[in-house]
Amino acid sequence: MDARLRRLVGVSAALTGILMVLGVYTAASGAGLTCAGRWPLCDGFLGLFPANWSSFVEWFHRLVAMITGFVVLGTTVSAWRRGADRRVRPALAGATLLLPSQIILGALTVTTYQWVVLLAHFSTASLIFTGVALAAAWAYGDSDATPTRARTALAAAGVLLPVLVVLTPHAFVTFGPTVQAVYYLLGLATYAALLSAAVWSATRPAGSADAAAARVRRLAGAAAFVVVALLVVGRLVYGGTLQYVSLGGTLAALALVALAWIAARRGGDAPGSRGVPGGD
């Protein structure tokens, strides 16, 4: 894949993540109920602009959503026209096909403000992010350095997860709009790192290195599933024991990451994993 398309895929993934964080902040601050409850119009000049700061947050969220949608669509078209990797193209196509339903759900969060709509909106966004994040991982994983990158991604997740423990919704800190935005920013970064680790661990050496790579993929994939599930469930109102479910899930993800990192290190030290006889 050429460098320009690779960067475009990376930008699509980054923009999608930023949009999700902005959406979390918009909902948490109550700005999603502004713009006079209208969509796509707002409450300012000719309905095209915001009238105050609160409606500006919602208006800006819509603007970024529109830009992100066009970027993802353009990236998908470019990937198919340029014959990108056969794994990158369907991942981007899947994300693009979900855009119309996400737009409808976005409108419903304004006109019909119900928790089930908010949950569906974030769940669909998570699926779109998964598609573009996987596409980015495959786009940047076409070199012999991917096993090393997998360990780096696991290390990054291992650093971020303890912070997520501290920021567990309604457990240790007040879960206000800013804290929520930080929590989801770090959570999505952790999820992307784990997806990348699972993709980049797909090495070709035979023997013990190959077995270790398969173990890393399973563990990193399981940890990624736990993290994204906690992020989706986190859009619900926490109470009772739910915050402890989040805390326990985050600790479980951290344990999975630790096991994956150990497996990755052992695979990197195995014969045939560094180009020595027996390697690929």
Side-chain angles (χ1 to χ4, degrees):
M1 180 183 293
D2 63 84
R4 184 177 179 181
L5 181 56
R6 183 182 291 112
R7 287 194 296 269
L8 188 57
V9 175
V11 168
S12 295
L15 270 178
T16 303
I18 291 171
L19 174 61
M20 293 177 68
V21 174
L22 182 56
V24 168
Y25 181 85
T26 300
S29 63
L33 300 176
T34 58
C35 283
R38 296 188 295 174
W39 189 96
L41 299 177
C42 202
D43 56 357
F45 180 68
L46 297 177
L48 301 177
F49 298 96
N52 50 59
W53 170 254
S54 185
S55 56
F56 171 79
V57 174
E58 167 63 16
W59 177 86
F60 184 69
H61 173 235
R62 296 180 189 181
L63 176 63
V64 175
M66 181 182 67
I67 294 172
T68 302
F70 280 120
V71 170
V72 172
L73 175 60
T75 303
T76 302
V77 172
S78 296
W80 282 90
R81 291 184 62 184
R82 300 184 188 183
D85 187 284
R86 60 182 178 82
R87 298 165 298 181
V88 172
R89 286 177 290 171
L92 289 173
T96 303
L97 290 174
L98 287 172
L99 290 178
S101 61
Q102 182 69 344
I103 293 171
I104 295 172
L105 288 169
L108 289 175
T109 60
V110 176
T111 60
T112 308
Y113 192 82
Q114 297 179 356
W115 72 267
V116 66
V117 175
L118 295 175
L119 186 60
H121 188 47
F122 189 83
S123 298
T124 305
S126 298
L127 290 174
I128 294 173
F129 181 74
T130 299
V132 293
L134 283 173
W138 279 314
Y140 283 90
D142 54 356
S143 73
D144 294 334
T146 49
T148 301
R149 292 179 182 176
R151 291 194 294 271
T152 301
L154 287 171
V159 171
L160 292 173
L161 280 167
V163 182
L164 293 180
V165 170
V166 176
L167 298 179
T168 297
H170 306 290
F172 306 113
V173 296
T174 302
F175 208 56
T178 301
V179 174
Q180 287 192 44
V182 173
Y183 176 81
Y184 276 89
L185 176 64
L186 299 181
L188 289 171
T190 303
Y191 180 53
L194 291 171
L195 288 178
S196 299
V199 168
W200 293 340
S201 63
T203 54
R204 290 183 299 172
S208 59
D210 187 59
R215 181 173 174 79
V216 172
R217 287 198 300 275
R218 290 194 298 269
L219 291 169
F225 177 80
V226 171
V227 169
V228 74
L230 292 176
L231 292 177
V232 172
V233 174
R235 301 311 300 143
L236 300 174
V237 177
Y238 271 77
T241 60
L242 285 178
Q243 62 266 42
Y244 299 112
V245 172
S246 179
L247 178 60
T250 307
L251 291 173
L254 182 59
L256 289 170
V257 168
L259 292 173
W261 190 82
I262 292 172
R265 284 295 302 271
R266 289 177 177 174
D269 294 336
S273 63
R274 297 180 179 176
V276 296
D280 190 40

